[in-house]
Amino acid sequence: MKSQKLSLLLATIFCILFVATYLYNARLVSRLERFQKVIKAYELYVSDSKDFSKYVEDNNLEELSYLVEKQIKSQVRTKIDAAKQAFRNGNYADAVNLLREIKDIENPWLDEVYFYLGSSLYKIGESESAKFYLSSFLDNFKYSIYRKEALLMLREFSEGELKKKVEETLNSMEEFKK
């Protein structure tokens, strides 16, 4: 009887240790798989892969969401710089194509996007589209460094109420300087 109790006690202890070891091992395997996914995500980020954000989302790697935003901003900035270079070189259609790709992406350079997009559209003869982007400076980009230049350009080809609003804004800017 005593040996049966001892055997039962040892078997119970062995089972508890086995289950604890198994659970610990399963947890380590799960963490290792997650770390491998994180490493793969970093590799995609460093190589500037377009698959990075999808990989982060598909594998539920919320801790890397800040890198997704950073990558998007970096790609937006690169396209803005390429569009500005195209604009300076007189390749207005190329500038329009680059800027249209990013015009709806939230970024800190949206005023720059709208200014160069409006200016490029004006240069290729799409006056109505140019008016739309340049007139957004009236309401949305009051402190942009491009504001005055956008308004001066808009004044050249706008008419009616829009031209009146542009003139008033330019006059108020001049009065503010005094």
Side-chain angles (χ1 to χ4, degrees), residues 24-115:
Y24 180 73
N25 187 42
R27 190 168 142 237
L28 284 178
V29 167
S30 174
R31 290 178 69 197
L32 178 60
E33 289 172 352
R34 179 134 181 106
F35 287 137
Q36 287 171 333
K37 289 177 183 177
V38 168
I39 289 170
K40 172 75 174 169
Y42 276 116
E43 288 172 354
L44 290 171
Y45 176 76
V46 169
S47 67
D48 202 28
S49 172
K50 294 180 180 178
D51 298 330
F52 172 69
S53 60
K54 183 168 177 20
Y55 186 83
V56 168
E57 183 181 327
D58 290 348
N59 290 288
N60 202 26
L61 302 173
E62 299 99 14
E63 66 266 30
L64 299 180
S65 62
Y66 75 98
L67 285 178
V68 172
E69 292 175 27
K70 186 175 179 181
Q71 185 187 46
I72 290 170
K73 283 183 180 177
S74 174
Q75 290 168 347
V76 166
R77 186 70 247 173
T78 300
K79 285 191 179 183
I80 291 171
D81 292 341
K84 286 171 67 175
Q85 189 61 45
F87 183 86
R88 285 187 206 110
N89 293 336
N91 301 326
Y92 305 116
D94 291 344
V96 167
N97 291 334
L98 286 166
L99 294 167
R100 279 189 170 149
E101 290 177 26
I102 58 174
K103 69 178 176 49
D104 297 323
I105 298 173
E106 185 65 37
N107 68 77
W109 311 286
L110 210 47
D111 64 323
E112 200 170 357
V113 171
Y114 273 46
F115 172 73

Side-chain angles (χ1 to χ4, degrees), residues 118-148:
S119 300
S120 297
L121 286 165
Y122 177 66
K123 296 283 188 180
I124 62 173
E126 292 186 29
S127 297
E128 289 306 311
S129 295
K131 277 182 200 177
F132 172 78
Y133 290 103
L134 293 173
S135 66
S136 70
F137 277 82
L138 289 171
D139 302 318
N140 299 316
F141 305 112
K142 294 183 191 245
Y143 302 105
S144 171
I145 60 171
Y146 301 102
R147 183 172 170 83
K148 185 170 183 178

